[in-house]
């Protein structure tokens, strides 16, 4: 049986075939992700073409695709107007920030100021709970969908379901009562999907080579990563991507200072999310490449220096606060650099400082997680 696995990541969209009989994987196929749109909305036509491209690519390698399993970046949504082709709609990602959303608006949805208690997450800019108010035309009717659900509906039959992991990532779903949060009366009429935490559910079907192919998964990339490694209680996971997360198995006596993310069958992970990673490194990489362009130099210097060995005890290294973007887990004023030695400030020292600061943010979070959970981690798994 050939399973087509597709990961709609922000930086890259990847697909691979897994054969359940031979236990073998095909060669990875990778294309550009929606990150190139930056903080702007992404046309659904972009995702549609990429989805079909990955299916077509894998069809040329395998005579039959028996099933599809999708995971995607989290905290994004599509507001589908009734009787409107989804190709005409836009995907609003976590990189978009609604500057008109205020604390008062959040209190309209959570009058008891209990956002974290209901959703399991800390509020931050870029979540659908804030960006949904961009659609404030109260006379319209909408269907709320995620990226996975929209792709199924565009190219097949969607069964009207959304996984609990993706629903909870919107900031609009109460994970305790298993219900959608009541939307402000000033908002248009919105139909939300049925939510399930059964990992065996089929979310829809699509026709490939005259065969009806079921689609599974439809979960966030964080949950997909955690499910693939089968975490034990004394192991912590660091999941690296455009953003990154540190996660462990949730226990009832865990202190509630971290985020709570649902998986399947009423199980949860304790998580710190939105930790700076690939997005901020790409920012510096582009800066270095721009300097190379303007000085007739060679591109790629940032990554060459980043991948070289560093000395953590080097006295020239300074602290870099990597929380440059709103929504980052420790965002204060947009990132900073501290204690720079002007006599030893150069590109090598800058990259070393970025690298050491990147690593230290994970070690500090893991240490805090050990203290709050009263557990000593024996292993760190990096995905």
């Amino acid at each position: 049986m050939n399973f087509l696995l597709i990961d709609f990541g922000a930086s890259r969209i990847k697909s691979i075939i897994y054969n359940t009989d031979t236990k073998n994987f095909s060669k990875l196929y990778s294309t550009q992700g929606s990150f190139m749109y930056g903080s702007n909305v992404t046309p659904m036509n972009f995702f549609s073409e990429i989805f079909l491209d990955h299916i077509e690519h894998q069809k040329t390698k395998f005579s039959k695709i028996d099933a599809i399993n999708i995971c995607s970046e989290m905290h994004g949504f599509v507001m589908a107007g009734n009787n409107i082709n989804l190709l005409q709609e836009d995907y609003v990602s976590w990189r978009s920030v609604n500057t008109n959303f205020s604390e008062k608006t959040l209190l309209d949805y959570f009058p008891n100021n209990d956002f974290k208690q209901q959703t399991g997450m800390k509020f931050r800019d870029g979540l659908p709970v804030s960006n949904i108010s961009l659609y404030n035309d109260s006379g319209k009717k909408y269907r709320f969908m995620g990226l996975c659900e929209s792709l199924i509906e565009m190219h097949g039959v969607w069964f009207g379901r959304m996984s609990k992991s993706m629903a909870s990532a919107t900031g609009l779903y109460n994970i305790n009562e298993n219900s959608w949060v009541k939307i402000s009366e000033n908002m248009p009429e919105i139909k939300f999907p049925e939510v399930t935490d059964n990992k065996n559910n089929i979310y829809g079907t699509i026709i490939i080579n005259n065969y009806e192919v079921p689609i599974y998964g439809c979960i966030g990339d964080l949950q997909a990563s955690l499910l693939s490694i089968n975490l034990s209680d004394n192991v912590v996971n660091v999941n690296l991507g455009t953003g990154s997360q540190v996660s462990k198995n949730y226990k009832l006596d865990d202190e509630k200072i971290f985020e709570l993310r649902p998986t399947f069958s009423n199980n949860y992970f304790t998580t710190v999310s939105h930790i700076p990673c690939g997005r901020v490194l790409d920012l510096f990489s582009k800066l270095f490449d721009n300097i190379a362009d303007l000085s007739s130099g060679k591109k790629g210097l940032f990554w060459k220096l980043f991948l070289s060995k560093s000395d953590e005890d080097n006295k020239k290294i300074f602290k870099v606060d990597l929380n440059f973007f709103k929504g980052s887990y420790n965002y204060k004023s947009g990132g900073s650099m501290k204690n720079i030695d002007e006599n030893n400030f150069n590109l090598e020292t800058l990259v070393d400082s970025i690298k050491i600061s990147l690593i230290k943010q994970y070690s500090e979070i893991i240490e805090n997680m050990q203290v709050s959970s009263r557990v000593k981690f024996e292993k760190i798994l990096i995905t």
Side-chain angles (χ1 to χ4, degrees), residues 75 116 120-122 124 222 226 236-240 243-248 255-261 269-276 323 327-330 361-362 364-370 372-373:
H75 313 298
K116 187 172 184 294
M121 295 191 300
K122 294 180 180 178
R124 50 177 52 88
L222 170 61
L226 289 168
V236 65
N237 170 247
V238 179
N239 184 47
L240 306 176
S244 61
Q245 307 87 22
V246 174
S247 305
K248 64 174 284 292
E255 293 184 22
K256 306 298 188 298
I257 60 174
F258 301 111
E259 296 187 50
L260 197 61
R261 296 298 182 90
F269 293 112
T270 294
T271 296
V272 176
S273 67
H274 293 73
I275 306 167
N323 293 274
S328 297
Y329 92 105
N330 201 22
Q361 65 181 356
Y362 298 115
E364 290 170 2
I365 291 170
I366 290 171
E367 180 59 34
N368 289 337
M369 199 171 275
Q370 287 188 132
S372 69
S373 302

Side-chain angles (χ1 to χ4, degrees), residues 46-293:
F46 166 81
F47 290 112
S48 173
E49 291 179 356
I50 293 290
F51 185 50
L52 294 178
D53 173 59
H54 278 255
I55 291 175
E56 193 62 35
H57 176 85
Q58 301 295 355
K59 274 169 53 179
T60 63
K61 310 293 182 182
F62 297 86
S63 58
K64 185 183 179 185
I65 295 174
D66 298 289
I68 299 175
N69 199 310
I70 305 177
C71 73
S72 77
E73 59 174 283
M74 305 176 73
H75 313 298
F77 68 97
V78 176
M79 287 281 270
N82 286 341
N83 304 315
I84 293 179
N85 189 330
L86 278 174
L87 287 173
Q88 301 173 23
E89 302 288 8
D90 295 317
Y91 173 76
V92 184
S93 81
W94 51 271
R95 297 181 300 278
S96 301
V97 175
N98 180 8
T99 56
N100 293 322
F101 190 84
S102 65
E103 186 175 336
K104 180 181 181 302
T105 313
L106 186 65
L107 287 172
D108 287 341
Y109 299 161
F110 302 90
N112 296 323
N113 199 22
D114 56 352
F115 175 81
K116 187 172 184 294
Q117 290 91 327
Q118 287 197 41
T119 67
M121 295 191 300
K122 294 180 180 178
F123 176 77
R124 50 177 52 88
D125 290 312
L127 291 178
V129 67
S130 64
N131 286 334
I132 197 174
S133 61
L134 294 169
Y135 296 83
N136 58 2
D137 39 358
S138 57
K140 280 195 173 184
K141 294 182 178 181
Y142 288 102
R143 290 176 300 146
F144 184 92
M145 308 168 80
L147 179 56
C148 300
E149 296 76 31
S150 303
L151 288 168
I152 298 171
E153 169 128 325
M154 281 193 292
H155 299 290
V157 178
W158 175 46
F159 294 166
R161 296 176 181 142
M162 176 181 282
S163 71
K164 188 174 180 178
S165 76
M166 294 302 272
S168 69
T170 65
L172 291 162
Y173 190 76
N174 188 322
I175 62 174
N176 304 303
E177 298 181 1
N178 292 316
S179 62
W180 291 97
V181 172
K182 185 179 178 181
I183 297 298
S184 168
E185 294 178 356
N186 298 323
M187 290 291 292
E189 183 180 332
I190 302 173
K191 181 180 179 181
F192 289 94
E194 167 197 345
V195 176
T196 175
D197 72 345
N198 184 343
K199 66 180 178 182
N200 296 318
N201 265 339
I202 299 174
Y203 290 84
T205 59
I206 185 173
I207 302 297
I208 301 178
N209 288 343
N210 298 318
Y211 288 99
E212 187 177 64
V213 178
I215 299 179
Y216 297 90
C218 295
I219 59 176
D221 46 10
L222 170 61
Q223 279 78 6
S225 172
L226 289 168
L227 288 170
S228 71
I229 57 178
N230 193 23
L231 275 181
S232 57
D233 290 343
N234 59 353
V235 175
V236 65
N237 170 247
V238 179
N239 184 47
L240 306 176
T242 306
S244 61
Q245 307 87 22
V246 174
S247 305
K248 64 174 284 292
N249 282 340
Y250 169 71
K251 297 189 300 181
L252 286 175
D253 60 347
D254 276 355
E255 293 184 22
K256 306 298 188 298
I257 60 174
F258 301 111
E259 296 187 50
L260 197 61
R261 296 298 182 90
T263 171
F264 295 111
S265 304
N266 205 32
N267 291 317
Y268 295 86
F269 293 112
T270 294
T271 296
V272 176
S273 67
H274 293 73
I275 306 167
C277 190
R279 186 184 184 189
V280 73
L281 296 181
D282 184 66
L283 181 78
F284 283 105
S285 174
K286 287 177 178 176
L287 173 63
F288 275 54
D289 285 350
N290 183 241
I291 293 172
D293 279 337

